[in-house]
Structure formats: structure tokens, C-alpha cells
Amino acid sequence: GADDGPGAEVVVWHNGDVEVVPLDRAITAVRAVEKALSEKHFEDALYLRGKNFRYALQVYLTLGNVSMVHEPLVKLLPEQAKSSHHIAVMHMGGLSPGMNDAFRSALKWGAARGHTMYGVRNGFEGLCGGDITKLDFHDGDGLCGLAGAFLGTRRAYRMEDFSAASRELSARTIDGLIIIAGWEGYMCALELDRYRSLHKGLRNLKIVCFPASISNNLPGTQWTVGSDTALNVVTHSVDLLRTSAAATTRIFVVDVLGTSGYQCIMGGIAGGVECTHTMESPVTLQSLSDDLETIKRHFGMGKSKAVLLRSENRNSVFSVPFLRGLFEKHSGDLYDVRTAELGHLQNGGPASPQDRMIAALLGPKCIEAIESSTGVVRLFCVGFNRNEPCILTGPEMQVYMDIENRTVYNPWWRKYAHLVQRLTLLETDVGGR
């Protein structure tokens, strides 16, 4: 608002979405924390900052093994669990930035709670082959921000290997399994849960899925670990390509990694691209004709560059070479066309601060899910919703899964797809932008 009167409001990003809140309420909350700190009422200040702040501080103190902890912070340190579990952690699916941070968080929190922790190398293949190592708290040291996957990851699993996996789990009395994974890992968890009655080592196994995918297409979470890092790569790449295109009056058709439209849509908004072709929006001859005419018209009005983002494997017919040829054929000599493929640049490198933070906050929730599992439900997933880590049961998880299309139903980011062209195509070129 224009003033701080009773009717003034402020637009904020709150609980994972855009919200409008009364300005006086926001100011009152900030001043209350300042007052508690100035009067050295630190416990009151902790309470006023909210439960999410207290939880984040608890995770920081535990994972960092902070030695100098004084009142009232000492009460935030985790206590020993009432009963001890043997818990294994493994990766599955494609590499996603932040997998090491996720492993570190689950390992350290589990060890701090008194559980026996194991690391499984090379995914389900390693589990079946017995490539399982007992770990302690300090085996997670040095993994924060480390690129890659320390344990190794594999996409494949076979149901005929469930007996071998069951034997290896039974041999170590492992009763908890945390799968840090993308879509393949979630499907594997569903199959393990479905056939657990046939295998002794699976019958009482608690399975927790930890969302790690650049595609941001997993159930029960607004954000998957790795999706923000990959989005930063897309945005930076678009910035570079737009600079190159503007110098030569050119269109770039860019192939973007990711099995959902998240990277294209959000990268398109952040990078100011002209068009996106995603899994969620069907490409037709009419839509291509509209794209051609719109871009051609704007180049005729003086536009100097354009970028089209296309999700990988979007359509075997309307491929990147096809789109390049199509736009070149109908350019009217107003522009030329080049292609680029981002590929595995998106899942390499160290994780972004947001991905590291989400990974750190979700690790303890995996341990909590295993500790609290007492009924017939032994499959869970963790997620980050409305700015808060949460736990879903297997049945709740499946409600959100569009298995045919390897994504979730009605993803939150889909509603922003229309902003791509609205924010860009009507722009006037300024300074080569």
C-alpha cells in the first residue's frame, strides 16, 4: 500500500505462494521480535519467529554438530529415539543436484537419534548385490554442497530382483529404507510395498521416498531437491543465448532437460523467452502456425532476438531439428535460426542454496516417518509444502501421481504458463535485451 494505515497491504511470497497480507500485521510481528531480542528474552524471540524457524535452527545445530550450544538452544537438540532402527539410505533415478546434501541430512539426523545407519551404493543394483556399508555421524562430513552423488545412483530396478534385495536387508536386520530419488525411485517404492508380503525382508520394512529430481514432478511436495539448481542453469543459459541472438537477429530453439514442463515454464518466465513447448501443453499444427506468425510479426516490428524452450522428448515429430527447419523456412529473411541443447549441464555442479536448504530440512522428516510408523502403512514420502516440511503416507502419495505421464496431477506451477508470452512478446527491445 501507499501508507501504513489500517487498509494498507503488502504483497509477499509466503508459504510457497503469492499472498497479500495487512501491512500493519507484518510490521507488528517484526517489531515484536526486535523487542524480545533487545530485552534479551531469547526464548520469546524463538517462539515469535515461528515453528519453521525453530525447526530450521534445530536442524542447523544438529547437522553442523555445533559444540557450543547454550540455553535456550540446548533444548532444540534431538533426543535419543525410544527404539533404535537399522536404516539404509540409497539413491535412485537420474542425478539431481543436492543428493549429497539429502544423504548427509538423513544420515546425521538418524545417527544423532541413535539409529544404526547404512549407505547403499549404486542404487537398487547395489542393494541387491550387498554393496551396503555401515556409517556413523561423521561419515556425512564434507558432503554439504558437494556436487554429484557420493553413493552413486542408478535408474533401473527389476521386480525379479526383489528376493535378492530382501535377503540383503534381512542379513543386516534393516527395517527402514530411505530412497532419495526421482520418478523411478517412487515407482520402485510402490512395487516394493505392493509385493512386500512375498518377501520376508520387506514385510516390516518402512520405506520413505525423498524427492530429488530436476523435473519437480513428484507427489507431496512443491519443490524437489535439484529443481532450483537446474532452473538457475536454464535461466543463465537463456541470458547468454539472448545476448548472442540479439547481436545477429536470431532465434534459438533450446532443448531443455526434464520430464515435466517445470524447467521450461519457470525458466521461460525468469529468462524472458518467447515460446515454450512442454509436456503439459499439446503442440499442434495450429499452435505452431500461431507461434510462427506471432514471432514473424514482432521481428517485422523491430524485434532482434527470440528463444523457444522445448522439453526433452516432448514430441518425436516436432523435434528440435524440425522446429529449426520450420522457423527457417518461414523466416521471410527477418531472422536466422540456431539450436542449443542444455542436457546434463542442468544436473551437474553444486546445489543452489534453496536445494541445500530443502535437502537439510527433509532429512529429519524421513527419520521421523520411520520412527512413527506403527500401523499397517509402511510407505511414506516427505515433501516441502507451504514453506513447511511434511510427511505423506503411501496412499496419500498415490492420489497425486499421474503414472501414465510420469508427473503429478495439476502441478502448482502450471497456472503460470500463460505469463511466458504475455511478459515477453509485447516488449520493446532495449539495449539488445
Side-chain angles (χ1 to χ4, degrees):
D3 54 57
D4 58 358
E9 296 176 323
V10 59
V11 179
V12 298
W13 181 260
H14 183 247
N15 287 337
D17 208 347
V18 178
E19 292 185 10
V20 178
V21 300
L23 183 59
D24 57 346
R25 190 178 77 187
I27 292 174
T28 299
V30 172
R31 287 175 177 170
V33 174
E34 290 177 345
K35 184 174 184 292
L37 290 173
S38 65
E39 296 174 354
K40 298 186 178 181
H41 297 158
F42 299 121
E43 195 160 358
D44 291 342
L46 272 177
Y47 174 79
L48 291 168
R49 288 299 299 268
K51 65 176 182 179
N52 290 339
F53 178 84
R54 294 193 297 275
Y55 176 68
L57 181 58
Q58 182 184 34
V59 172
Y60 159 70
L61 294 173
T62 304
L63 301 190
N65 196 24
V66 178
S67 57
M68 298 295 291
V69 179
H70 304 288
E71 291 288 354
L73 299 184
V74 70
K75 65 181 63 176
L76 293 177
L77 297 177
E79 300 175 351
Q80 292 286 293
K82 293 181 181 179
S83 59
S84 177
H85 295 276
H86 287 214
I87 302 172
V89 185
M90 73 176 186
H91 300 313
M92 279 193 72
L95 176 64
S96 189
M99 277 185 158
N100 283 331
D101 297 89
F103 168 54
R104 168 182 177 264
S105 176
L107 168 62
K108 283 179 171 282
W109 191 271
R113 290 280 289 168
H115 302 301
T116 302
M117 302 300 294
Y118 295 85
V120 181
R121 294 191 177 274
N122 300 321
F124 195 76
E125 174 186 318
L127 177 63
C128 296
D131 197 353
I132 305 170
T133 306
K134 184 182 289 188
L135 303 170
D136 63 25
F137 183 93
H138 291 289
D139 284 314
D141 293 349
L143 293 180
C144 182
L146 182 69
F150 176 75
L151 292 175
T153 185
R154 299 289 189 275
R155 292 183 183 273
Y157 71 92
R158 301 188 309 168
M159 286 186 285
E160 51 263 43
D161 292 331
F162 283 7
S163 293
S166 173
R167 285 195 300 271
E168 297 299 336
L169 292 168
S170 294
R172 296 163 180 83
T173 62
I174 292 172
D175 60 347
L177 177 64
I178 298 172
I179 305 176
I180 302 169
W183 191 264
E184 291 84 359
Y186 279 60
M187 293 304 299
C188 178
L190 288 175
E191 297 294 343
L192 288 170
D193 186 57
R194 182 174 294 122
Y195 294 106
R196 65 167 67 243
S197 63
L198 303 179
H199 306 281
K200 180 181 178 181
L202 302 180
R203 286 172 193 164
N204 295 309
L205 182 70
K206 289 87 173 175
I207 305 170
V208 186
C209 296
F210 190 124
S213 168
I214 68 169
S215 299
N216 205 19
N217 63 334
L218 298 175
T221 187
Q222 286 178 290
W223 315 101
T224 56
V225 172
S227 60
D228 183 66
T229 305
L231 182 58
N232 287 339
V233 173
V234 173
T235 305
H236 180 61
S237 300
V238 169
D239 288 343
L240 296 176
L241 291 172
R242 288 176 68 83
T243 303
S244 172
T248 52
T249 315
R250 178 172 290 168
I251 291 177
F252 272 99
V253 180
V254 185
D255 197 48
V256 177
L257 203 64
T259 55
S260 76
Y262 176 78
Q263 295 293 330
C264 279
I265 291 173
M266 304 310 283
I269 293 171
V273 308
E274 282 66 24
C275 296
T276 58
H277 291 173
T278 69
M279 301 295 293
E280 294 76 15
S281 56
V283 178
T284 64
L285 291 175
Q286 184 59 54
S287 66
L288 284 175
S289 177
D290 292 342
D291 289 342
L292 280 168
E293 292 304 316
T294 301
I295 289 178
K296 187 174 180 179
R297 182 172 68 253
H298 282 85
F299 269 87
M301 295 164 59
K303 195 171 186 66
S304 62
K305 76 282 178 186
V307 177
L308 186 154
L309 297 184
R310 175 189 179 277
S311 294
E312 63 166 337
N313 302 323
R314 172 61 191 88
N315 189 302
S316 59
V317 176
F318 301 134
S319 62
V320 170
F322 172 85
L323 292 174
R324 175 179 179 173
L326 182 68
F327 277 88
E328 281 183 332
K329 178 71 174 178
H330 297 277
S331 67
D333 294 325
L334 292 171
Y335 53 81
D336 62 6
V337 187
R338 295 292 186 273
T339 62
E341 182 177 333
L342 301 187
H344 294 284
L345 289 173
Q346 290 173 247
N347 57 14
S352 69
Q354 175 173 303
D355 283 333
R356 298 184 199 189
M357 176 195 71
I358 293 174
L361 296 179
L362 291 185
K365 286 295 176 181
C366 294
I367 305 300
E368 180 185 331
I370 291 172
E371 291 174 346
S372 61
S373 174
T374 56
V376 294
V377 176
R378 296 187 180 90
L379 172 63
F380 306 88
C381 72
V382 297
F384 206 78
N385 276 314
R386 297 189 65 78
N387 213 33
E388 187 173 328
C390 60
I391 301 171
L392 272 68
T393 65
E396 291 171 329
M397 176 178 89
Q398 292 180 69
V399 168
Y400 296 99
M401 296 178 71
D402 179 359
I403 292 177
E404 181 181 354
N405 295 304
R406 294 170 55 89
T407 187
V408 294
Y409 294 109
N410 301 316
W412 65 267
W413 40 264
R414 196 173 182 179
K415 63 186 177 184
Y416 297 112
H418 69 284
L419 292 178
V420 174
Q421 290 190 347
R422 288 191 181 186
L423 293 176
T424 305
L425 278 178
L426 297 181
E427 285 183 353
T428 301
D429 284 340
V430 177
R433 179 69 181 155

